[in-house]
Amino acid sequence: MSDAVLTPDDVAAADAAHDDHAHDDHGHHETNTGISNNKLAMWLFLSSDCLLFGALISTFLLYRTNIGDDTPYTSPFDVFDIPFTSLSSFILLMSSLTMVLALSAVNRDDERNGRIWLLTTAFLGMVFIGGQVYEFTVFRAEGLGFGTNTWTSAFYTLTGFHGVHVSVGILILLGTVFGTRKSGLGKEKGETVELVGLYWHFVDIVWVIIFTVIYLIPIG
Amino acid sequence: MAATDTHVDHDAHDDEHHDHPSDAKYVQIALILAFLTAVEIAMFIFEEDLPRTLVKVGLLALMAVKFWIVGAYFMHLKFDSNVLSQLFVAGLILAMVVYFIMLSAFEFNFWNDGFEDPGLPAIE
């Protein structure tokens, strides 16, 4: 053991060295995995959200042929408006593009374009939700309510939960744009926008599955 | 040892900062996604003219490709640490396990084999 006594200057120098080591150039703490805790937490959340949607899609698949119970329909394709839903899917897909362009702009410290792309993403999300509300309204008018049969319950629960995810995403996007008016949306907010983007892209890939499995794949 | 750990930490940290695609590349990726979606819709429209199995397998394959493209490029899994990919794939596998368990329970009636249904008492 050394019996050297630490002076205040030694402590200050050690603190400075620690600070240099423990923070990266974005001011984040280094971790054992090399991934920021916030990002890891978001991926854990998305991974667990897979289970929620896995259970809802499974339930729908089990009941996908039950549309005829208490309704005059023999197949879900009697009520689906595929051209309309395809357009909605395309809009949501393109919102993923605007989201990555927003992140790219923020990482370039291009605050103005970052905000424009984030707002565009939120707008496309709103168009998608508007389409979903329209679809639900049409189904309701055709006599397909939430409790009409097991097919309608499974359909509304699955697509409704996805719609809630999109709506939450829109609120987060708007919160990011308007909540940073004073602090700015520069490069230092890159990770925040990246996390918002991860959530948004997840919502998009879940719809990629829903659109194919529920709306396109033929029964039987 | 500590020095080695620190070195590993920096390497892992550097993994997070691989160059992401340019904006033009993102637009190209989005166009590919749009094209794949158009192919999906075309397969649905011409479903009657194609073998049913081909339609189902084709649609599932296109879905998987679109899923991979969005995950790899838009969610940056291709450029980030492998830990994140493993985490996400673990969630997907668990979700599929949930589906197969439900399928075996409700569709194949697997768990009821060898058991007699005790029935429910009549409500008077």
Side-chain angles (χ1 to χ4, degrees):
Chain A
M1 283 286 287
S2 166
D3 54 357
V5 177
L6 287 176
T7 65
D9 287 346
D10 292 336
V11 173
D15 280 350
H18 174 262
D19 284 348
D20 285 346
H21 170 69
H23 296 82
D24 64 12
D25 47 354
H26 296 298
H28 303 130
H29 286 279
E30 278 191 12
T31 59
N32 288 338
T33 55
I35 304 162
S36 88
N37 289 333
N38 292 335
K39 195 167 173 179
L40 196 59
M42 175 54 87
W43 275 106
L44 273 170
F45 166 71
L46 297 181
S47 185
S48 64
D49 223 16
C50 285
L51 281 172
L52 170 75
F53 281 106
L56 293 175
I57 291 171
S58 305
T59 308
F60 179 84
L61 289 175
L62 289 172
Y63 295 127
R64 73 182 306 217
T65 55
N66 292 14
I67 190 170
D69 301 349
D70 301 322
T71 72
Y73 303 106
T74 56
S75 163
F77 298 104
D78 295 340
V79 289
F80 285 154
D81 184 351
I82 298 298
F84 180 79
T85 314
S86 301
L87 184 63
S88 294
S89 302
F90 179 75
I91 287 167
L92 197 62
L93 209 54
M94 289 305 106
S95 75
S96 263
L97 170 65
T98 57
M99 187 68 235
V100 282
L101 292 178
L103 176 62
S104 179
V106 170
N107 281 337
R108 286 195 313 268
D109 228 1
D110 182 355
E111 182 170 342
R112 184 175 171 275
N113 279 323
R115 287 182 191 282
I116 288 172
W117 286 124
L118 284 175
L119 284 172
T120 308
T121 308
F123 173 73
L124 292 174
M126 285 179 207
V127 173
F128 176 84
I129 288 295
Q132 195 166 45
V133 169
Y134 170 76
E135 183 187 41
F136 283 7
T137 308
V138 170
F139 279 19
R140 186 76 187 84
E142 304 248 353
L144 296 171
F146 182 84
T148 303
N149 55 40
T150 47
W151 184 90
T152 56
S153 298
F155 174 81
Y156 283 118
T157 306
L158 171 57
T159 54
F161 257 101
H162 180 267
V164 168
H165 274 72
V166 177
S167 303
V168 169
I170 292 167
L171 291 176
I172 295 172
L173 284 165
L174 294 176
T176 306
V177 173
F178 295 110
T180 55
R181 273 182 304 175
K182 286 183 181 171
S183 61
L185 193 59
K187 199 173 182 177
E188 71 285 354
K189 289 286 197 306
E191 188 184 68
T192 304
V193 176
E194 185 177 7
L195 297 183
V196 175
L198 286 176
Y199 177 83
W200 191 262
H201 298 310
F202 176 76
V203 165
D204 183 29
I205 52 175
V206 168
W207 187 257
V208 165
I209 296 174
I210 291 175
F211 178 60
T212 305
V213 171
I214 287 159
Y215 288 90
L216 296 182
I217 289 190
I219 296 172
Chain B
M1 183 66 194
T4 309
D5 287 348
T6 306
H7 179 68
V8 169
D9 285 351
H10 280 295
D11 281 351
H13 182 70
D14 288 343
D15 284 347
E16 266 200 284
H17 292 280
H18 285 306
D19 283 340
H20 290 171
S22 63
D23 287 2
K25 186 81 179 171
Y26 281 134
V27 173
Q28 283 177 11
I29 293 165
L31 288 174
I32 292 169
L33 287 169
F35 172 74
L36 294 176
T37 306
V39 174
E40 280 183 325
I41 296 162
M43 285 187 87
F44 175 81
I45 291 169
F46 299 108
E47 175 203 334
E48 300 295 327
D49 305 323
L50 297 167
R52 183 59 63 96
T53 308
L54 177 70
V55 173
K56 285 182 178 179
V57 172
L59 285 172
L60 285 173
L62 286 167
M63 177 191 82
V65 172
K66 285 169 67 181
F67 189 101
W68 182 82
I69 290 175
V70 175
Y73 291 96
F74 286 176
M75 297 175 92
H76 300 146
L77 281 177
K78 192 172 162 62
F79 313 101
D80 278 347
S81 167
N82 282 339
V83 174
L84 300 177
S85 299
Q86 289 160 3
L87 202 62
F88 194 46
V89 170
L92 287 173
I93 290 172
L94 277 172
M96 281 192 270
V97 168
V98 168
Y99 172 61
F100 284 112
I101 288 173
M102 285 182 74
L103 203 66
S104 67
F106 291 96
E107 200 75 6
F108 303 144
N109 223 17
F110 177 77
W111 306 105
N112 288 335
D113 284 355
F115 292 94
E116 283 184 23
D117 184 0
L120 294 170
I123 300 170
E124 294 180 10

